[in-house]
Amino acid sequence: MKFSIPFLYYFITRINSIPKKVSWSIVNVFPILWICAMISDISAFLLLILYFFGLCAMMSIYEVGYLENDIITTKNEKNPTKRLDDYSHNFLEKNYSKIILLKYTITLLIFILFIVIMVSANIQLYIYQFIFSLLILRVIYLIHNKIRNKFNILTFLGLVIFKHYSIILLFIPFNQSLSLLLLLFILFCGQRLIEYGSKKRFGLNIHIGNLDVFRVYYFLVCLVGYVLYFVFKKGSIQIYELLVDDLFFPLALYLFIFRLLLLLAGRVFGVVQANE
């Protein structure tokens, strides 16, 4: 069944245009890949393979949450967002259990593949951490789909964090990953959390205006914050050394430049901002 293939359901229902797919890759795929390359001594070619399959395993679990939301949760909503045509929706509803089982099977097979690669290539992977983080991701999505109130802001934050953090935990022990967790929170979760919290249904009166402008300002603030930290920091703070000196600034600059170019393209060529 095609909907059991990792990424396919996400590409069809959430980022269903080429600009959105490109934007998603630039913002979500390449930065995390670069982080993994920086923290791992695995060869580039093998790292790419492991990263790709790690993404497939994570997305298989994440898409279970999407399917659960679109097929089950929406039945209890007054005005649900319709993401599928009637034929596809009926097909998924009829074959829901089979598709979910296939997705879990794909993830299990990827775990087995990781074990084979780890043994045959004599490399260190933290597979149990990765499995546990995906279990957490699944539990958070279950809660997220059951609840429809302001608590969704917290569950959304958990989803965004573990969506990225799970991949990183495949390559680095947990006790060395806390500075990276802070980096993820600032650069990949903060912006998304503010945007999600600004939804009218939460009633928080958060007004961010134009998304492209807000995103440019957000990463500009991150860069200014880095400069201030670098100028005024006292002594050696080892837990933040990797975060600030080696990863934070180039990633913040990368995301700022991309957001700025996207804003300028919108102003000059009328390009519509692409949600990721």
Side-chain angles (χ1 to χ4, degrees), residues 20-248:
K20 287 183 179 181
K21 291 179 176 65
V22 172
S23 182
W24 173 78
S25 299
I26 291 173
V27 172
N28 296 281
V29 177
F30 298 138
I32 305 302
L33 174 60
W34 187 69
I35 291 173
C36 292
M38 289 288 289
I39 64 177
S40 174
D41 57 0
I42 299 173
S43 66
F45 177 72
L46 186 55
L47 181 71
L48 281 173
I49 294 175
L50 293 168
Y51 183 74
F52 171 75
F53 281 107
L55 275 178
C56 288
M58 182 278 295
M59 188 52 69
S60 289
I61 298 300
Y62 206 83
E63 284 180 322
V64 171
Y66 282 143
L67 287 162
E68 183 180 55
N69 176 78
D70 297 348
I71 304 302
I72 297 176
T73 304
T74 53
K75 290 181 179 179
N76 300 317
E77 295 180 347
K78 293 181 179 179
N79 297 301
T81 301
K82 188 175 181 180
R83 303 182 186 276
L84 296 163
D85 57 74
D86 291 338
Y87 174 80
S88 296
H89 187 279
N90 292 335
F91 174 83
L92 284 171
E93 192 170 23
K94 183 179 180 181
N95 297 279
Y96 178 79
S97 298
K98 294 178 182 177
I99 294 172
I100 298 302
L101 179 60
L102 282 171
K103 285 191 170 296
Y104 285 138
T105 302
I106 288 172
T107 303
L108 177 61
L109 290 174
I110 291 174
F111 290 155
I112 295 172
L113 176 64
F114 283 159
I115 294 172
V116 172
I117 293 176
M118 186 170 65
V119 173
S120 59
N122 193 27
I123 59 172
Q124 178 65 61
L125 295 174
Y126 301 90
I127 299 173
Y128 294 117
Q129 285 184 176
F130 183 57
I131 295 172
F132 186 65
S133 65
L134 293 188
L135 288 174
I136 293 175
L137 182 66
R138 180 68 194 107
V139 170
I140 294 173
Y141 220 140
L142 275 170
I143 298 171
H144 187 75
N145 283 332
K146 291 289 183 181
I147 297 174
R148 281 295 181 263
N149 54 41
K150 291 179 181 179
F151 188 73
N152 282 133
I153 297 175
L154 292 179
T155 54
F156 177 79
L157 174 62
L159 290 175
V160 178
I161 288 176
F162 278 93
K163 189 177 183 180
H164 300 302
Y165 192 44
S166 60
I167 306 297
I168 290 174
L169 286 176
L170 180 63
F171 298 101
I172 188 173
F174 173 76
N175 61 358
Q176 297 178 24
S177 69
L178 297 181
S179 60
L180 294 173
L181 182 58
L182 179 58
L183 181 147
L184 290 176
F185 179 80
I186 297 172
L187 293 182
F188 297 94
C189 306
Q191 166 225 318
R192 297 290 306 280
L193 184 63
I194 296 171
E195 292 176 10
Y196 188 76
S198 69
K199 291 178 180 290
K200 291 183 179 179
R201 68 186 177 95
F202 295 124
L204 297 180
N205 295 319
I206 298 174
H207 304 288
I208 61 177
N210 183 284
L211 278 178
D212 284 331
V213 174
F214 166 74
R215 289 166 177 173
V216 169
Y217 277 120
Y218 181 87
F219 290 108
L220 179 60
V221 169
C222 289
L223 287 169
V224 171
Y226 165 81
V227 172
L228 292 175
Y229 171 84
F230 185 78
V231 170
F232 294 107
K233 71 176 181 176
K234 301 293 184 181
S236 175
I237 307 177
Q238 293 183 355
I239 192 171
Y240 296 117
E241 184 177 347
L242 176 65
L243 167 66
V244 174
D245 297 335
D246 295 335
L247 290 172
F248 188 93

